[in-house]
Amino acid sequence: MVNALFRHLLLALLLAQAYSQPASAESPSPVAAAAADDSIDRDYSGDLPRIAPLGPEKALESFEIEPGFALELAAAEPATTDPVALDFDEHGRMFVVEMLGYSENPDDMLGCIRVLEDADHDGRFEKSSVYAEGLAWPTAILCYDGGVFVGAPPEILYLKDADGDGRAEVRKVVFTGFGTHNVQGLLNSFRWGLDNRIHVAVSSCGADLRRGDQPDAEPLVLRGRNFSFDPKTLDIRAESGASQHGYFIDPLGREFTCNNSNHIQQIVYEDADLSRNPYLNAPSSLRSIAVEGPTADVFRISPVEPWREIRTRLRAKGIVPGIVEGGGRPAGYFTSATGVTIYTGDAWPAEYRGNAFVGDVGSNLVHRKTLESASDDIALVARRATPEREFVASKDIWFRPVQFANGPDGNLYILDMYREVIEHPDSLPPIIKQHLDLTSGRDKGRLYRTIRADRTDEQRREQYSRALPGDAKTTAELVAMLRHPNGWHRTTAARLLSRRQDLAASHELAKLLNDKAAPIEGRLLALYGLHDARQLLVSDLTTLLADADAEMREHAVRLASHRLRDHVNHSSSCPLLEEAIIAMVDDPALNVRYRVAIALGDCREPARMDALAEIAKRDVDNADMQIAVQSSLELCSDAILHKLLADQEFVSTAAGRGFLTELARQIGARGKKYELRSLARDVKAVGKLNQSLASDLLAAALRGAGGRAAEVRREMIDRVEAMEPLVEAMLASALQVAADGDAEASARVAAINQLGMGKFGTVVPLLGELIAPHQPQEVQAAALAALGGFDEQAIAEPIVAAWRGMSPALRLQGAELLLARPATAAALVAAIESEQLSPRDLDPSTTQRLTTHADAEVRERAAKALAGGVSSRADVLEAYREAPQLAGNAEQGRAIFRKNCAVCHRREGFGTEVGADLATVVTRTPEALLVNVLDPNREVDPKFIQYNIVTVDGLAHSGVVSAETASTVTLTGAEKATQTVPRADIDVMESTGLSLMPEGFEREIDVQGMADLIAYLRSEL
C-alpha cells in the first residue's frame, strides 16, 4: 500500500511537470507553490497554468486498463464533440447527444444530435451527420419507431427523419416542465424497462410534468422521484428514486443510480406499492450498496489539477467557503460519480457480465464493481473489483467519462466529454474561476469501445458485423433474439416487438416463456411481452409462481399483484391467483417473500391475514420486510396487530414490539373508528399482562393521530368499556416518573411520551412545569412534543410563558407547535401585540413563518404586529454597506454563527445542513456575502423554497421539501426538524416563493457583528 501510494505521488508530480510550461529555476511549479501568502486578494494566475489536450491517438497512450482489455477509438472530433448520451437503433446506427452548451451557455442553443455509422464494420464510426440541432442542454436519448426521444430540458422531444434526408424535420414536444436551474441536475438516462416503458432519471431539478399536447392539465409534480412513460400512449407515472446523472435497469429489472458523492445506489421500493397505504412512513427508496461507502477511495493516475489543490487549501484555511472533503485531500475519493451502468454484453469473459461501471469525471477514471446477493437484504452488495487500481484510468486530466453504453457488438462504450474543466461553476471561487476557461474542449469529444485484448482483427470484425434486430424479417425471428446472449440485442428486440403489437408474437413468446432451459433474461422479456400485449393468462401466472427460478417467481408475483389490483379496481376477484400467492409465504428466497408480502395486500381472501402474520413473524428483523407487510395493511392493521399480540415470542422481541407500535401509530393516523376500538380492546387485554406495552401502543396511536388526537382519545378511551381504569393506572405511573427529577432523563422522556393518553386538564400543568429552564433539555423537548398532542388553544399559554427561558432550539420547536394551528399561532401574535413578548424574541425564521402563514388572519395580524421590525431590503443593505470594509473579529463571528446560522448551516462540525451548502450559495466576496445574508430572497434556488402544507385536520407545517414518496411529503426546517405528512392528509400545499433562509437577520446583529460574521466565514479554521 505504501509503495503504491509512493508511486502514485511520484507519478502525479512527474505528470504535473510534463503538462506545465517549462519553468525557470526561479519559478516554482504550481504544485509546489508556496501557500503562505494565500488570500482572497492574491493573483493566482501564475499558479494555474493551462493544460494542453492530447490528440485522439495520443490520448490512447495515456490509459491504463485492466489486464486482458484494450481501448479502441470508436469516434473522435470532429465526428463527435462533447458526447453525453448515446443510443443505437436496431440497424446499429449510433445516435449521440452532444452538449456543447455545458456549463454556462444554454442560451446559445449549441447542443445537437448526431448520427454516426460504421459502414465497413471495422470498429470506427467514420460517417457522421447532424440529425438535429438548436438544443440548449440536451442530456438523454432513446431510439423508437424510426426516430428518437431526446431529453432537452425543459422538454422531452420526439425527433424523426421522415423523408430520409438524414435530418429530423419532425420535432414534437412530448413532455414539458423539467427544471433547468442546475446544469448538473438535469433529466437524463432514458432506459427501456422490462415493462416496455421508457424510464427517465428526473434528477435534482425536478419537474412539473405535463404532456406537450396538454399544456393546461394538472402537472405530475416530481421532486425526489423519477418517472416512466408508455411510448405508445404517452401514459406517465411517477417512479421511485432520484438519480443525479446515471441510471440503469439490469436484465432482471433491478434499478441502479448514482450521484456525485454516492457512486452506486439501488432503488429498492416502488411508488405503486408504497402508495397503497397512505399512512406508511417508508424510508428513502434509495439504498447505498457499496461496501466501501458512498465516497469510496479511487486510484487516479492523473495529476491533481492545480486549481483543485488551491481550492482545497483555500477552503481549509477558511479563505473561501466550502466543504473540506476527504480529510483535506483535493482528490482520491468519489466526488463526481456519473453514468452507473451494468455490463450486459457477451464479448467479455463471463465473470464481467453483471458488473457495474461508474465514471468519476473529476478523477479521470472508470471504476468497476462486482454485484452479489445478500441473504438478509433485498438489495445487492457492491464491492470494488480490483484493489488499489481502476478498470480504466487516464494520465490525461481531460478524460471525462460521463456515460456508458452497452453496444450491438457486446462491448462497453465510454462517452468521454473531453473537457479541460468539468466542475460546476458555482463551486469554483471567483479568484480561481477567473483564470479558467469552462468552455475549453467544446470542440472535442471521444467515444471509446472497451474490448478484449486477445481478440484478433477478424474476430472483432465478425462481432461488429453480426446480425442485428433490424435485420429480422419476421416476428418469430425477433422473438428468437430475446434468447440472444448480448443484452443490447434482447432489449432492442423487445422494444421492436412492443412497437409492432403483433398478436402473432404471442405464440412464440409463450413457447419461450415455458422453455425452462432458456436463459432467465429471455424468459422474463417473454413474460412482460405477453403482459404488454394483454395475452398473459392467469393460468400462466399460477404456473410461474411455482417456477424453479427465484427471479421468475419474483416477477410472476409482481405481475400477479398488478393483475389483482386491476381486479379490485373492477370489483372482481381472482381466487386461484390469490390462493397461489398465499401458498408462497414460506418461499425460500427473501426477495420472493418480499414481493409476496406486497401482493398479499392486493388479495381479498381472508387467509391473506394469516399469511401476512406469518411473514411478519418470520422476517420481523428485516426492515424491508416490515415495510412490505405494512404497505399491504391499508385497511386491516388492527386485524394483524391482534394476531401478532397473541404470539408472546414475537411480542418479547424489540423488533416485534417496534412493529406493533408502528401499526398502532398508523391506526391512530388513519382514524377509522372500527380500527381504533379494536386497538383499544387489544390495549385493554394486553394491559393486564404487560402495562408497558399497552402504554406504548396507546401512546403511538395518539401520536399518529396528530391534530385528531382528541377524537382518537375519545374513541379509544371514553367509548370502550373498562378502558378508563386501565388508562388511569398507566397515566398515574407515567405522571410519577415524568415528575421525578431524580429519575434518569431517558425514563422521564419515555413517561412524558405516554402523557398524551391523559386529559388536557390533568397533564398540562405538569407539562408546563417540565418546559421550565431548569429541566434537562431532552425533558423540555419531550414535554413540548407532548403538548403538541393536544388541540386545545390553551397549550399556547405555557409555551409563551416559558418562551424567554427557552434555548434557540426549543424556541424553534415551540414555534412549530404554535404555528401548526391558526388559534395558537394567533396566540403567539397576541403575545407580541400585548408586549408579553417582543419581536426580538422571535428568530427570523419564526417571523417569516408568521408573516407567510397559511391562515390569512394570522398573516395580517403578524404583519401589523411585526411591522416595526421590517425594513425594505434596500434600506437594510444601505445601513450595512460599511460592514465588508470593517475589521472583523473572527472569534466573535463564530459565536454569532453558532447562535444564528447553525440552525440551517454547518461549519467546523457545528450546526445542521438544511440550507444551501456554503460552498455554492454563499458568494466569495464580502459584498456579495452581505447581500446573501440580508436579502436572501433576491435569488432563490428552487431546492430551498419554503412550502406551506395544511392538513385536512387544520394543522399547518412549513419547510423545504426534502423528500417525497408516493405516499408522503417530508418538509425540513431549521435545526433539521422534519415533518413527514401523508399525502392523504394534505388539504393544501403551496410555495411561499421565499427562501427557507428568512429576511430580518439585521435584527440579530449590528454592522460590526456582520463584519465579525464575515471575518469568521473567511478565516482560517
Side-chain angles (χ1 to χ4, degrees):
M1 177 71 180
V2 173
N3 289 338
L5 180 61
F6 177 78
R7 290 196 303 271
H8 173 74
L9 292 174
L10 179 60
L11 181 61
L13 289 171
L14 290 173
L15 287 167
Q17 196 172 37
Y19 280 128
S20 302
Q21 297 294 325
S24 67
E26 294 78 25
S27 303
S29 71
V31 174
D37 57 346
D38 280 332
S39 77
I40 198 74
D41 301 315
R42 176 177 162 181
D43 180 1
Y44 285 91
S45 57
D47 303 307
L48 295 169
R50 298 295 301 278
I51 298 174
L54 300 178
E57 300 300 332
K58 193 71 175 175
L60 280 170
E61 301 174 9
S62 73
F63 288 104
E64 289 185 5
I65 189 168
E66 191 164 317
F69 290 89
L71 287 179
E72 282 186 337
L73 197 62
E77 70 272 5
T80 186
T81 53
D82 282 343
V84 298
L86 69 78
D87 195 29
F88 294 92
D89 75 358
E90 58 268 29
H91 304 292
R93 295 187 301 168
M94 183 192 292
F95 287 74
V96 183
V97 176
E98 299 183 337
M99 191 182 183
L100 279 70
Y102 181 88
S103 60
E104 297 180 291
N105 307 102
D107 297 336
D108 294 343
M109 308 299 283
L110 301 173
C112 73
I113 309 300
R114 193 177 289 269
V115 181
L116 276 62
E117 297 181 64
D118 176 14
D120 56 5
H121 305 300
D122 66 348
R124 188 72 176 249
F125 288 76
E126 67 284 335
K127 182 179 178 181
S128 174
S129 60
V130 173
Y131 188 74
E133 56 191 341
L135 306 173
W137 280 337
T139 54
I141 193 166
L142 191 142
C143 297
Y144 185 78
D145 193 25
V148 290
F149 288 103
V150 172
E155 298 166 340
I156 290 179
L157 306 173
Y158 182 72
L159 309 174
K160 189 171 184 177
D161 170 20
D163 59 10
D165 66 351
R167 295 183 70 91
E169 61 278 344
V170 175
R171 183 168 177 149
K172 176 183 177 183
V173 176
V174 183
F175 301 110
T176 188
F178 295 94
T180 59
H181 62 274
N182 183 345
V183 68
Q184 292 186 358
L186 305 172
L187 85 153
N188 62 93
S189 303
F190 291 178
R191 304 298 179 202
W192 188 268
L194 276 178
D195 55 2
N196 292 311
R197 296 172 68 88
I198 297 174
H199 292 248
V200 180
V202 174
S203 199
S204 59
C205 284
D208 289 336
L209 181 63
R210 293 181 175 88
R211 282 177 48 161
D213 58 356
Q214 299 175 357
D216 298 324
E218 187 72 20
L220 174 64
V221 179
L222 297 169
R223 286 181 294 261
R225 293 188 291 171
N226 293 334
F227 91 105
S228 70
F229 67 95
D230 184 331
K232 298 183 293 293
T233 65
L234 300 185
D235 161 71
I236 59 175
R237 72 178 181 222
E239 304 282 359
S240 294
S243 311
Q244 184 178 5
H245 190 87
Y247 165 74
F248 195 85
I249 306 172
D250 80 355
L252 300 181
R254 298 173 298 203
E255 299 172 272
F256 303 89
T257 186
C258 61
N259 62 47
N260 276 347
S261 301
N262 199 331
H263 65 289
I264 183 164
Q265 300 166 288
Q266 186 174 346
I267 300 173
V268 292
Y269 301 137
E270 294 180 18
D271 257 28
D273 299 328
L274 301 185
S275 62
R276 297 174 307 162
N277 182 353
Y279 295 97
L280 171 64
N281 283 347
S284 169
S285 63
L286 293 179
R287 181 80 46 82
S288 183
I289 62 173
V291 297
E292 302 86 4
T295 55
D297 285 349
V298 295
F299 298 90
R300 67 184 291 170
I301 63 172
S302 54
V304 178
E305 301 94 325
W307 68 259
R308 195 180 296 275
E309 291 188 330
I310 294 171
R311 184 183 67 177
T312 298
R313 197 171 71 221
L314 295 176
R315 284 179 173 180
K317 290 183 175 184
I319 294 173
V320 300
I323 54 176
V324 182
E325 300 175 299
R329 293 180 295 160
Y333 47 92
F334 270 107
T335 61
S336 46
T338 183
V340 62
T341 299
I342 309 300
Y343 174 65
T344 65
D346 64 337
W348 296 2
E351 61 267 25
Y352 288 85
R353 190 172 301 162
N355 284 191
F357 293 83
V358 188
D360 190 312
V361 294
S363 293
N364 323 113
L365 56 85
V366 178
H367 178 77
R368 178 166 76 93
K369 279 277 193 292
T370 60
L371 300 176
E372 59 193 61
S373 297
S375 60
D376 60 348
D377 198 334
I378 66 169
L380 299 180
V381 174
R383 299 182 187 278
R384 166 178 279 281
T386 51
E388 299 187 19
R389 65 169 299 147
E390 303 300 341
F391 181 73
V392 172
S394 176
K395 303 180 184 75
D396 182 6
I397 68 161
W398 283 63
F399 175 56
R400 308 296 184 183
V402 294
Q403 266 289 5
F404 308 90
N406 289 286
D409 51 17
N411 291 305
L412 187 71
Y413 287 71
I414 300 173
L415 286 75
D416 176 11
M417 200 171 179
Y418 208 72
R419 288 289 190 113
E420 184 178 3
V421 180
I422 203 168
E423 195 75 4
H424 195 294
D426 285 350
S427 70
L428 292 167
I431 56 174
I432 292 176
K433 183 180 176 181
Q434 63 183 322
H435 302 300
L436 304 177
D437 180 2
L438 299 190
T439 68
S440 180
R442 180 180 288 176
D443 58 343
K444 296 175 175 58
R446 287 88 192 262
L447 297 171
Y448 295 102
R449 178 192 283 111
T450 316
I451 61 174
R452 286 180 64 160
D454 60 356
R455 289 293 187 259
T456 66
D457 290 344
E458 183 179 349
Q459 288 173 320
R460 292 173 188 168
R461 185 178 293 274
E462 183 178 336
Q463 274 186 315
Y464 304 155
S465 61
R466 60 184 173 181
L468 301 175
D471 301 326
K473 295 180 175 59
T474 67
T475 296
E477 288 177 321
L478 268 184
V479 174
M481 276 199 175
L482 299 181
R483 298 173 180 263
H484 203 286
N486 185 28
W488 178 86
H489 279 75
R490 295 192 303 269
T491 300
T492 305
R495 172 172 60 77
L496 295 177
L497 285 166
S498 176
R499 179 67 189 92
R500 285 189 184 184
Q501 292 289 286
D502 183 357
L503 290 178
S506 299
H507 178 67
E508 297 297 326
L509 289 172
K511 285 200 303 184
L512 173 56
L513 176 62
N514 294 312
D515 182 356
K516 304 298 176 64
I520 182 61
E521 296 89 350
R523 293 183 68 206
L524 287 176
L525 289 170
L527 172 68
Y528 280 91
L530 286 168
H531 174 71
D532 184 41
R534 300 184 181 275
Q535 297 298 307
L536 185 64
L537 304 177
V538 169
S539 58
D540 295 329
L541 284 173
T542 54
T543 299
L544 293 170
L545 291 175
D547 197 90
D549 197 304
E551 283 83 7
M552 180 57 73
R553 297 197 304 276
E554 180 182 346
H555 283 277
V557 175
R558 184 193 302 263
L559 291 184
S561 183
H562 294 169
R563 181 70 61 89
L564 291 174
R565 286 179 203 178
D566 288 342
H567 276 284
V568 169
N569 291 336
H570 293 90
S571 301
S572 60
S573 61
C574 190
L576 289 177
L577 202 53
E578 293 190 18
E579 290 169 8
I581 292 171
I582 291 169
M584 298 178 71
V585 293
D586 291 322
D587 193 282
L590 177 68
N591 284 57
V592 175
R593 293 199 305 278
Y594 173 79
R595 295 305 321 176
V596 168
I598 290 170
L600 287 169
D602 299 313
C603 294
R604 293 184 172 188
E605 288 289 314
R608 76 189 190 281
M609 296 308 303
D610 290 329
L612 280 168
E614 286 304 311
I615 292 179
K617 286 188 283 188
R618 173 173 176 164
D619 295 305
V620 69
D621 290 323
N622 187 292
D624 296 319
M625 294 300 291
Q626 289 192 33
I627 293 296
V629 172
Q630 290 168 20
S631 76
S632 292
L633 297 175
E634 179 189 3
L635 298 175
C636 49
S637 299
D638 61 317
I640 193 171
L641 185 142
H642 181 76
K643 288 179 180 295
L644 294 174
L645 281 172
D647 188 322
Q648 291 304 309
E649 182 179 351
F650 182 85
V651 169
S652 66
T653 65
R657 188 163 177 157
F659 185 82
L660 293 169
T661 53
E662 173 57 20
L663 290 184
R665 184 201 65 79
Q666 292 180 28
I667 290 172
R670 198 172 293 116
K672 300 293 184 182
K673 292 182 179 180
Y674 71 90
E675 280 195 318
L676 293 171
R677 293 177 186 177
S678 174
L679 174 59
R681 289 190 290 270
D682 281 331
V683 168
K684 184 172 66 173
V686 169
K688 298 175 182 177
L689 302 173
N690 190 334
Q691 190 178 98
S692 173
L693 176 58
S695 297
D696 285 349
L697 293 173
L698 185 54
L702 293 168
R703 183 174 67 253
R708 296 189 295 263
E711 178 185 341
V712 167
R713 192 180 293 108
R714 284 194 299 273
E715 289 297 328
M716 294 188 65
I717 299 174
D718 298 345
R719 297 179 184 174
V720 175
E721 186 179 356
M723 274 292 287
E724 191 68 39
L726 173 65
V727 172
E728 287 180 359
M730 294 190 297
L731 182 61
S733 175
L735 285 167
Q736 182 178 356
V737 175
D740 185 358
D742 296 326
E744 292 287 338
S746 59
R748 297 180 71 193
V749 168
I752 292 168
N753 291 340
Q754 296 177 358
L755 295 184
M757 72 181 77
K759 294 180 179 178
F760 181 77
T762 304
V763 300
V764 165
L766 175 60
L767 292 174
E769 295 175 11
L770 295 179
I771 59 176
H774 65 275
Q775 298 286 353
Q777 183 152 330
E778 59 265 47
V779 169
Q780 292 177 275
L784 277 172
L787 280 169
F790 296 94
D791 61 0
E792 284 84 350
Q793 181 178 348
I795 67 168
E797 183 178 342
I799 296 175
V800 170
W803 192 270
R804 285 182 168 166
M806 290 181 180
S807 68
L810 287 173
R811 286 188 182 186
L812 288 170
Q813 185 182 354
E816 181 67 36
L817 296 179
L818 296 180
L819 296 177
R821 300 174 178 86
T824 49
L828 181 58
V829 175
I832 302 294
E833 292 169 335
S834 67
E835 298 185 356
Q836 182 181 1
L837 295 178
S838 160
R840 294 186 63 84
D841 289 320
L842 305 185
D843 66 283
S845 172
T846 301
T847 298
Q848 177 165 297
R849 289 188 59 190
L850 277 172
T851 56
T852 60
H853 198 275
D855 184 82
E857 184 179 346
V858 170
R859 287 198 305 271
E860 293 170 6
R861 287 180 60 187
K864 292 178 182 178
L866 299 168
V870 176
S871 303
S872 75
R873 293 301 95 194
D875 291 342
V876 171
L877 288 169
E878 176 61 25
Y880 280 75
R881 65 183 177 84
E882 294 182 0
Q885 282 75 48
L886 296 178
N889 184 306
E891 282 299 318
Q892 293 180 17
R894 176 184 285 111
I896 291 170
F897 175 89
R898 294 190 173 188
K899 178 182 177 183
N900 300 285
C901 309
V903 294
C904 288
H905 298 284
R906 186 175 181 86
R907 197 162 196 257
E908 295 184 290
F910 189 90
T912 55
E913 297 175 5
V914 178
D917 181 355
L918 295 177
T920 58
V921 174
V922 180
T923 50
R924 279 61 171 176
T925 65
E927 291 76 14
L929 177 58
L930 182 72
V931 173
N932 269 247
V933 173
L934 296 181
D935 192 7
N937 293 309
R938 179 173 293 191
E939 293 183 11
V940 187
D941 187 324
K943 290 187 297 184
F944 303 109
I945 287 179
Q946 176 189 347
Y947 277 79
N948 287 336
I949 286 179
V950 180
T951 60
V952 292
D953 54 357
L955 295 183
H957 306 287
S958 182
V960 296
V961 178
S962 55
E964 289 192 70
T965 69
S967 56
T968 61
V969 176
T970 299
L971 297 179
T972 299
E975 285 285 333
K976 217 166 189 175
T978 60
Q979 181 69 41
T980 298
V981 184
R983 290 186 185 274
D985 278 354
I986 295 177
D987 184 30
V988 177
M989 178 175 174
E990 58 186 8
S991 165
T992 65
L994 301 177
S995 168
L996 179 68
M997 182 175 177
E999 296 178 351
F1001 192 60
E1002 66 276 5
R1003 299 201 308 271
E1004 306 299 320
I1005 57 174
D1006 57 16
V1007 176
Q1008 181 59 53
M1010 181 62 72
D1012 296 340
L1013 178 62
I1014 292 172
Y1016 169 63
L1017 293 174
R1018 303 178 67 227
S1019 66
E1020 183 174 349
L1021 297 177

